[in-house]
Amino acid sequence: MMQHQLAVQARFRPETLERVLRVVRHRGFEICSMNMATASNAENINIELTVASLRPVELLFSQLSKLVDVAYVEIQQETHHSLSQQIRA
C-alpha cells in the first residue's frame, strides 16, 4: 500500500475541513496522519495529510483541487509501506 503526503492550503471556514475529509474518504484513501494550522493571515489554513491507498494519488489530488475553498494542493512525498507495517505502527 502506498502512503502519500499532501499539503493543502484553503480558506478558513468551518466546513472546509469536513469537505476535505469527505473527498479523501470517497476517493478510497485512508488518513494515516493529519495536521492543521492557521496561516499567518488567519484567513487561510494549512493542512498536511498522510494518506494510504492502492489507488493513484492523482485521483485524490484532482478532486481536492476542485473544492471551492481549496487554493493549493501539493503532493510532497510517496512511500511504499506494506499492510503489516501499517498495522504495527
Side-chain angles (χ1 to χ4, degrees):
M1 190 176 282
M2 293 292 290
Q3 282 193 352
H4 310 277
Q5 291 181 348
L6 297 150
V8 179
Q9 186 177 40
R11 244 187 312 186
F12 183 51
R13 302 179 135 223
E15 64 274 11
T16 301
L17 185 58
E18 292 177 29
R19 287 183 181 143
V20 168
L21 294 174
R22 185 182 68 234
V23 167
V24 170
R25 181 173 47 92
H26 283 186
R27 293 293 162 223
F29 287 80
E30 175 184 318
I31 295 178
C32 301
S33 68
M34 180 177 75
N35 187 25
M36 184 192 83
T38 47
S40 57
N41 64 4
E43 292 181 9
N44 293 320
I45 55 173
N46 296 317
I47 306 167
E48 294 178 6
L49 294 167
T50 301
V51 296
S53 181
L54 296 173
R55 306 180 92 181
V57 72
E58 291 77 20
L59 295 173
L60 180 59
F61 174 85
S62 68
Q63 292 303 310
L64 287 174
S65 299
K66 293 178 186 178
L67 291 176
V68 67
D69 291 322
V70 171
Y72 177 79
V73 180
E74 178 185 10
I75 301 170
Q76 295 183 324
Q77 183 180 1
E78 296 182 30
T79 55
H80 181 74
H81 291 282
S82 70
L83 187 58
S84 62
Q85 289 175 324
Q86 288 183 343
I87 291 172
R88 284 181 280 174

